């Protein structure tokens, strides 16, 4: 069984003139199929496209039925033979948005009228295993698709598909892309974490900065000052979220970082009266930082690195608020990635956020809130399930061995990476299978064996007769 690829996504819009608009979801589906076929044929076997809007209509695949459904102005205008179809005999249906007097063919032929179309592209890769690789793949894919759609080759390929299809799709015969209308609207990298795609860690910390020589008598606007402080703080910290002391450069985007100003000069932001009044110098402002990071980020250095960057800010915005010092609290870290079975890398359940797309599409079968539930469902006979989960980190090898290999702490400490720390105090523990007492460092005795500790071998043997 091959390893499933990861996928990145991007969306874009373009406009067409002379598109004969669909009057039902069935027609919308047929028109969309032409654009999707041409895009998929041009780009790559590892790409998949789907149309999401045609003018005032939305279109999607129902994941439960696999059928195309429509909303917007084509809601309830479905397929021939279905209960919601405009063609169903004896059923009164809503009027099509295009069914009106149209002597000039504005709606049905849309001559000289531009119709907006939105599409999503999913780009798959077996080789890309980090954000930078996928970012390069996205840039290349977006450039390729834009060149194709705006070059005239897309319009020609759609026309040839529409003419050659049986029956022909007449709605597309005269449709032509407005070459200046292409706009990329969004992109999603599977290895970059943001609030809208939480697959890694949420790191939260609170902070305080002091600013000096603020001219409070100048009737300062609280709203503009909050905006100034937020934007400047975010700009300074965003440049550092890719610091190699936290995470490799390129693994975060601007949306990975959120700054909320809580207080200015001791006053709650939500209750400040305009204009802002303060008698402190230096004055303070309090804030919270919410940072979305990949699961393997160095969160133990997060606060120190971010505090260092804040203290390097010379002033805020136009220089009106010179900063004197900043401090941050210890970071609180929450992992909100769900557990999934990884049969290839770890042979275990993990919550590193790297589950393939087919698992995301079927969460009830593959995604779990608890490690134990995942292991029970997919590794019921694997006692080590979860032990090699890279998202579980311990301060010492002793702690890891005690927690995960309490049945054989000595072997755990002797094998693998790192070393266990010895206390230098020898105790004796009975080995029932060998019918002997064995010496062990006191740091390597799990909790369940503490009742059998003896200080001398004689005591151990006497106790275990």
């Amino acid at each position: 069984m091959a390893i499933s690829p990861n996928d990145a996504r991007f969306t874009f819009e373009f406009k067409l003139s002379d598109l004969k608009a669909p009057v039902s979801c069935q027609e919308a589906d047929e028109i969309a199929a032409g654009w999707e076929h041409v895009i998929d044929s041009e780009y790559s076997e590892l790409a998949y496209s789907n149309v999401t809007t045609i003018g005032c209509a939305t279109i999607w695949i129902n994941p439960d039925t696999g059928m195309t459904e429509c909303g917007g102005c084509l809601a309830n205008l479905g397929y021939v033979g279905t209960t919601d179809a405009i063609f169903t005999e004896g059923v009164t249906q809503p009027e099509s948005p295009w069914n009106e007097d149209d002597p000039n063919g504005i709606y049905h032929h849309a001559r000289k009228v531009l119709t907006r179309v939105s599409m999503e592209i999913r780009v798959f890769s077996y080789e890309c295993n980090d954000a930078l690789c996928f970012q390069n793949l996205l840039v290349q894919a977006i450039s390729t698709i834009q060149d194709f759609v705006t070059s005239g080759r897309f319009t020609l390929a759609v026309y040839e598909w529409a003419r050659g299809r049986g029956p022909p799709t007449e709605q597309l015969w005269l449709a032509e892309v407005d070459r200046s209308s292409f706009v990329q609207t969004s992109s999603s990298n599977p290895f970059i974490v943001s609030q809208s795609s939480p697959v890694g860690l949420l790191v939260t910390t609170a902070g305080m900065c002091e600013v000096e020589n603020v001219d409070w008598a100048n009737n300062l606007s609280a709203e503009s000052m909050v905006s100034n402080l937020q934007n400047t703080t975010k700009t300074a910290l965003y440049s550092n979220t890719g610091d190699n002391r936290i995470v490799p450069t390129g693994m975060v985007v601007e949306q990975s970082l959120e700054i909320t100003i809580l207080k200015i000069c001791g006053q709650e932001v939500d209750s400040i009266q305009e204009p802002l009044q303060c008698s402190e110098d230096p004055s303070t402002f309090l804030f919270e930082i919410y940072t979305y990071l990949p699961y393997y980020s160095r969160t133990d250095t997060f606060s120190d690195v971010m505090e260092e960057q804040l203290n390097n800010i010379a002033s805020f915005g136009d220089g009106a608020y010179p900063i004197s010092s900043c401090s941050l609290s210890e970071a609180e870290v929450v992992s909100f990635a769900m557990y999934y079975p990884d049969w290839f890398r770890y042979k275990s359940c993990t919550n590193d956020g790297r589950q393939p797309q087919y698992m995301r599409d079927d969460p009830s079968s593959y995604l779990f809130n608890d490690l134990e539930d995942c292991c029970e469902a997919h590794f019921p006979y694997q006692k080590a399930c979860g032990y090699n989960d890279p998202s579980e980190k311990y301060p010492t090898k002793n702690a890891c061995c005690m927690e995960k290999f309490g049945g054989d702490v000595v072997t755990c400490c002797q094998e693998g990476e790192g070393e266990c720390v010895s206390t230098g105090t020898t105790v004796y523990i009975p080995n029932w299978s060998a019918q002997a007492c064995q010496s062990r460092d006191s740091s390597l005795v799990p909790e369940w064996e503490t009742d059998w500790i003896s200080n001398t071998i004689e005591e151990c043997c006497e106790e275990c007769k």
Side-chain angles (χ1 to χ4, degrees):
M1 183 184 295
I3 297 177
S4 298
N6 290 292
D7 72 300
R9 308 182 183 204
F10 67 94
T11 59
F12 62 93
E13 298 177 354
F14 60 92
K15 296 178 181 179
L16 298 104
S17 63
D18 297 315
L19 174 67
K20 187 176 180 181
V23 297
S24 69
C25 193
Q26 177 167 335
E27 287 193 3
D29 190 22
E30 292 171 354
I31 292 171
W35 295 325
E36 292 166 355
H37 170 80
V38 168
I39 290 286
D40 293 346
S41 299
E42 170 68 17
Y43 185 64
S44 167
E45 62 180 10
L46 291 178
Y48 175 79
S49 64
N50 63 283
V51 175
T52 55
T53 64
I54 303 175
C56 57
T58 56
I59 182 170
W60 67 90
I61 301 296
N62 185 316
D64 296 325
T65 65
M67 297 292 293
T68 299
E69 296 183 0
C70 295
C73 58
L74 290 183
N76 300 319
L77 301 176
Y79 278 72
V80 174
T82 61
T83 56
D84 66 342
I86 192 174
F87 310 102
T88 304
E89 185 176 356
V91 177
T92 301
Q93 298 293 334
E95 288 294 321
S96 165
W98 298 190
N99 288 346
E100 55 183 84
D101 291 338
D102 187 23
N104 298 318
I106 296 298
Y107 289 100
H108 278 274
H109 196 199
R111 184 174 299 278
K112 297 183 180 180
V113 173
L114 293 176
T115 302
R116 180 176 59 86
V117 174
S118 301
M119 296 188 69
E120 178 188 64
I121 306 287
R122 290 168 56 181
V123 184
F124 299 87
S125 174
Y126 288 92
E127 290 78 25
C128 283
N129 289 305
D130 58 57
L132 292 178
C133 181
F134 260 111
Q135 199 64 24
N136 292 334
L137 188 64
L138 275 170
V139 170
Q140 179 184 13
I142 292 167
S143 175
T144 299
I145 295 299
Q146 180 174 2
D147 289 346
F148 177 55
V149 170
T150 60
S151 67
R153 293 185 293 119
F154 175 77
T155 296
L156 178 60
V158 170
Y159 169 78
E160 292 176 345
W161 177 89
R163 295 280 294 186
R165 187 176 182 272
T169 306
E170 297 182 12
Q171 294 94 329
L172 292 171
W173 283 5
L174 299 178
E176 182 177 357
V177 173
D178 175 2
R179 299 186 183 187
S180 64
S181 65
F182 185 99
V183 177
Q184 180 209 335
T185 52
S186 70
S187 64
S188 173
N189 186 319
F191 291 98
I192 287 181
V193 184
S194 66
Q195 187 175 20
S196 62
S197 58
V199 294
L201 304 175
L202 169 59
V203 184
T204 305
T205 186
M208 180 187 75
C209 287
E210 292 185 341
V211 291
E212 299 177 329
N213 303 321
V214 179
D215 186 7
W216 297 110
N218 199 27
N219 293 329
L220 295 177
S221 164
E223 182 178 353
S224 63
M225 188 172 187
V226 167
S227 177
N228 186 307
L229 295 175
Q230 280 181 328
N231 292 337
T232 309
T233 305
K234 182 172 182 176
T235 300
L237 294 180
Y238 170 58
S239 67
N240 214 48
T241 52
D243 192 300
N244 286 326
R245 291 172 290 177
I246 299 176
V247 61
T249 302
M251 301 301 282
V252 293
V253 293
E254 187 176 359
Q255 291 74 23
S256 301
L257 183 67
E258 297 294 333
I259 306 290
T260 300
I261 305 297
L262 303 176
K263 291 183 178 182
I264 298 178
C265 203
Q267 304 176 57
E268 300 281 352
V269 167
D270 294 338
S271 60
I272 291 178
Q273 300 294 317
E274 298 283 7
L276 179 58
Q277 299 293 323
C278 181
S279 59
E280 298 178 357
D281 188 23
S283 53
T284 61
F285 70 93
L286 306 182
F287 55 91
E288 285 185 331
I289 305 172
Y290 304 91
T291 311
Y292 300 86
L293 297 174
Y295 72 97
Y296 46 78
S297 304
R298 287 288 308 277
T299 56
D300 58 328
T301 62
F302 178 87
S303 292
D304 292 339
V305 173
M306 297 299 244
E307 184 175 303
E308 174 188 313
Q309 187 69 6
L310 280 172
N311 281 303
N312 286 333
I313 302 174
S315 62
F316 287 92
D318 58 4
Y321 318 126
I323 190 169
S324 57
S325 65
C326 287
S327 61
L328 293 180
S329 66
E330 289 296 319
E332 296 182 5
V333 182
V334 176
S335 173
F336 39 41
M338 301 184 76
Y339 289 93
Y340 72 94
D342 187 327
W343 291 288
F344 305 101
R345 286 170 295 182
Y346 306 122
K347 297 179 176 62
S348 178
C349 286
T350 180
N351 66 340
D352 62 8
R354 298 172 67 180
Q355 60 266 27
Q357 189 59 43
Y358 75 88
M359 293 188 184
R360 299 173 193 258
D361 293 339
D362 188 9
S364 61
S365 298
Y366 297 106
L367 303 183
F368 301 85
N369 289 317
D370 299 316
L371 174 64
E372 293 76 12
D373 292 340
C374 178
C375 289
E376 182 178 347
H378 295 284
F379 299 94
Y381 305 109
Q382 174 61 271
K383 293 182 179 180
C385 178
Y387 289 172
N388 54 350
D389 186 343
S391 66
E392 295 190 74
K393 301 174 183 179
Y394 296 89
T396 65
K397 188 173 182 180
N398 296 59
C400 178
C401 290
M402 288 287 194
E403 176 70 20
K404 295 300 184 181
F405 298 94
D408 197 355
V409 176
V410 174
T411 301
C412 173
C413 282
Q414 291 174 345
E415 298 179 356
E417 297 182 4
E419 296 180 354
C420 287
V421 178
S422 173
T423 64
T425 301
T426 301
V427 296
Y428 296 86
I429 299 291
N431 184 325
W432 304 106
S433 60
Q435 296 185 343
C437 286
Q438 296 179 336
S439 62
R440 192 183 305 175
D441 189 86
S442 61
S443 65
L444 306 182
V445 181
E447 184 177 355
W448 67 273
E449 282 190 307
T450 54
D451 290 341
W452 299 100
I453 289 178
S454 298
N455 292 322
T456 67
I457 192 169
E458 291 80 9
E459 291 177 1
C460 177
C461 292
E462 182 67 25
E463 185 73 23
C464 304
K465 282 183 179 179

